[in-house]
């Protein structure tokens, strides 16, 4: 990271290694906002309706995304499912698909097609290891009152599965996505170099008190206790190279967020890098920002680092960013229900200390 004055920062375009870009009208809104948030490399999640379960489905989706944002590099993923055989992994790798996403059944949005028994997929994981693909994990166990599992301990209860996968496939690159607990941070740090971890912007801000009764802060996994947030903040402030940005930005219509059962997801895409700059400054670790939003994740995903003199963004404190209260979605009334057809971003109506001055 370089600084021309104390009030500006110049960074490479950021890389977001976990983002929900949706489909249809929501996709048409969200995808052009990726660059507005300071990002030009984005790992696109496959939990659409229907999910991206074949190589051709993922390739077709990538083409639709590229048409909406030609300057963005979309890193494509597949949804782990019973038809994802070793043979299909070979086809995916040949087509340039980078990763496979594992959702435990029923834990989050569009996860009803998810996994119940990971051991059934060991041949697929072996093929991924040989093809040098990445396994992305939504690291939670499904809630089960009889087993004492709920949304507050589901991540910690999953960590033994992460350890088992790493032991069984030590060359397979595995990402524990959107960590929310001290236990998850300690677990990833204890494992080998092929295990990485993404952290979201909103989990660096929120604790359990912030989402209880506030649907626009409700996400899966939920934000946990202040001590857990402190662990997330400490590891990003340390500059640990296996912890990097995965925003898990997940937009939902206002009607879905404020309904009887609020949808899980926080929308940070359009303000992502100004938000992180503001937060890292408050944490006293602004010098770690470039590693977190660019270098660490690109290294883990084996993408080239930006060359000297390549395209960059400049952040400034001279013009604070006023976060919009909502973004309009151009969709049919049937999709919207009776409420306004809008998406509410994280930190809506507030002001961030940093904004993007130029690109």
């Amino acid at each position: 990271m370089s600084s021309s004055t104390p009030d500006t920062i110049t960074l490479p375009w950021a890389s977001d290694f976990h983002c929900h870009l949706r489909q249809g009208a929501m996709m048409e809104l969200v995808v052009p906002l990726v660059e507005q948030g300071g990002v030009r490399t984005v790992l696109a999640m496959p939990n659409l309706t229907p999910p991206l379960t074949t190589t051709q489905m993922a390739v077709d989706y990538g083409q639709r995304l590229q048409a909406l944002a030609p300057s963005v590099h979309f890193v494509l993923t597949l949804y782990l499912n019973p038809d994802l055989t070793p043979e299909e992994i070979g086809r995916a790798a040949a087509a340039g698909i980078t990763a496979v996403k594992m959702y435990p059944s029923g834990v989050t949005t569009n996860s009803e097609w998810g996994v119940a028994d990971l051991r059934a997929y060991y041949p697929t994981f072996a093929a991924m290891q040989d093809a040098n693909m990445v396994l992305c994990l939504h690291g939670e166990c499904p809630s089960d009152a009889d087993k004492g599992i709920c949304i507050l301990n589901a991540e910690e209860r999953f960590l033994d599965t992460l350890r088992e996968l790493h032991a069984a496939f030590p060359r397979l690159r595995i990402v524990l996505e959107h960590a929310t607990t001290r236990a998850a941070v300690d677990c990833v740090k204890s494992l080998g170099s092929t295990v990485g971890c993404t952290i979201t912007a909103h989990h660096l801000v929120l604790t359990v008190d912030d989402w209880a009764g506030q649907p626009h802060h409700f996400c899966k996994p939920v934000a946990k206790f202040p001590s857990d947030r402190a662990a997330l903040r400490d590891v990003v402030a340390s500059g640990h190279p296996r912890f990097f940005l995965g925003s898990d930005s997940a937009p939902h219509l206002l009607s879905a967020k404020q309904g009887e059962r609020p949808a899980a997801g926080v929308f940070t895409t359009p303000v992502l890098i100004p938000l992180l700059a503001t937060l890292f400054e408050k944490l006293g670790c602004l010098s770690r920002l470039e590693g977190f939003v660019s270098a660490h994740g690109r290294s883990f995903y084996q993408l080239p680092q930006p060359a000297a003199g390549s395209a960059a963004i400049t952040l400034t404190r001279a013009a604070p960013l006023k976060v919009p209260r909502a973004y309009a979605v151009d969709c049919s009334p049937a999709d919207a229900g009776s409420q306004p057809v809008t998406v509410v971003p994280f930190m809506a109506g507030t002001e961030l200390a940093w904004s993007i001055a130029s690109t």
Side-chain angles (χ1 to χ4, degrees):
M1 184 173 69
S2 62
S3 295
S4 56
T5 74
D7 289 330
T8 65
I9 310 169
T10 299
L11 297 168
W13 281 94
S15 300
D16 179 0
F17 288 100
H18 182 147
C19 190
H20 296 273
L21 299 172
R22 302 308 195 206
Q23 57 202 115
M26 185 70 82
M27 176 182 72
E28 293 172 4
L29 166 70
V30 171
V31 172
L33 295 176
V34 169
E35 284 186 272
Q36 181 177 309
V39 171
R40 271 196 181 168
T41 296
V42 59
L43 188 91
M45 289 291 103
N47 59 329
L48 308 182
T49 305
L52 303 179
T53 56
T54 70
T55 298
Q56 192 58 53
M57 291 174 76
V59 169
D60 291 345
Y61 184 55
Q63 291 173 349
R64 294 195 295 273
L65 297 175
Q66 205 71 68
L68 291 168
S71 298
V72 175
H73 174 206
F74 295 99
V75 182
L76 300 178
T77 63
L78 287 173
Y79 191 113
L80 186 64
N81 72 97
D83 294 329
L84 195 55
T85 61
E87 292 74 23
E88 186 67 17
I89 289 296
R91 288 188 285 270
I97 294 171
T98 298
V100 172
K101 178 65 179 280
M102 187 284 293
Y103 292 95
S105 181
V107 297
T108 191
T109 304
N110 294 344
S111 64
E112 56 265 40
W113 301 278
V115 173
D117 179 13
L118 275 176
R119 289 188 175 275
Y121 293 93
Y122 273 27
T124 299
F125 298 154
M128 290 175 60
Q129 181 172 250
D130 291 342
N132 195 31
M133 293 181 72
V134 178
L135 176 62
C136 299
L137 301 175
H138 182 115
E140 291 188 290
C141 292
S143 292
D144 187 328
D146 291 337
K147 297 179 181 178
I149 302 172
C150 68
I151 58 173
L152 290 177
N153 65 5
E155 180 175 278
E156 188 167 358
R157 294 288 288 269
F158 180 84
L159 296 176
D160 282 343
T161 299
L162 173 60
R163 296 182 183 98
E164 291 169 9
L165 284 171
H166 180 49
F169 303 99
R171 293 184 294 108
L172 176 63
R173 284 178 291 151
I174 300 173
V175 177
L176 179 66
E177 297 196 309
H178 42 50
T180 62
T181 60
R182 181 177 296 278
V185 170
D186 291 343
C187 178
V188 171
K189 289 167 70 174
S190 74
L191 299 176
S193 62
T194 54
V195 178
C197 182
T198 57
I199 294 177
T200 77
H202 54 277
H203 285 126
L204 291 170
V205 176
L206 303 174
T207 66
V208 61
D209 284 346
D210 297 307
W211 60 261
Q214 209 317 10
H216 293 289
H217 292 166
F218 175 64
C219 58
K220 292 285 190 77
V222 298
K224 304 299 193 304
F225 300 105
S227 59
D228 295 304
R229 184 183 64 179
L232 302 181
R233 290 177 167 186
D234 287 347
V235 78
V236 300
S238 76
H240 195 295
R242 289 190 285 118
F243 291 80
F244 47 89
L245 173 61
S247 72
D248 193 20
S249 180
H252 293 278
L253 293 179
L254 176 66
S255 55
K257 289 298 289 180
Q258 296 185 175
E260 184 177 340
R261 293 179 62 87
V266 171
F267 182 41
T268 55
T269 291
V271 298
L272 185 57
I273 302 308
L275 170 62
L276 284 166
T278 300
L279 179 59
F280 274 51
E281 182 183 35
K282 288 181 179 177
L283 298 178
C285 61
L286 202 51
S287 64
R288 301 295 194 185
L289 182 62
E290 182 174 334
F292 181 71
V293 306
S294 179
H296 299 337
R298 297 186 72 86
S299 177
F300 190 88
Y301 272 89
Q302 299 179 0
L303 298 177
Q305 298 293 341
S310 61
I313 57 175
T314 297
L315 296 165
T316 179
R317 291 180 54 86
L321 176 62
K322 296 180 180 179
V323 181
R325 293 191 176 276
Y327 292 85
V329 183
D330 184 13
C331 64
S332 70
D335 293 329
S338 61
Q339 298 205 33
V341 189
T342 58
V343 178
V344 176
F346 188 55
M347 307 292 285
T350 66
E351 195 170 84
L352 302 176
W354 292 86
S355 63
I356 297 177
S358 63
T359 60

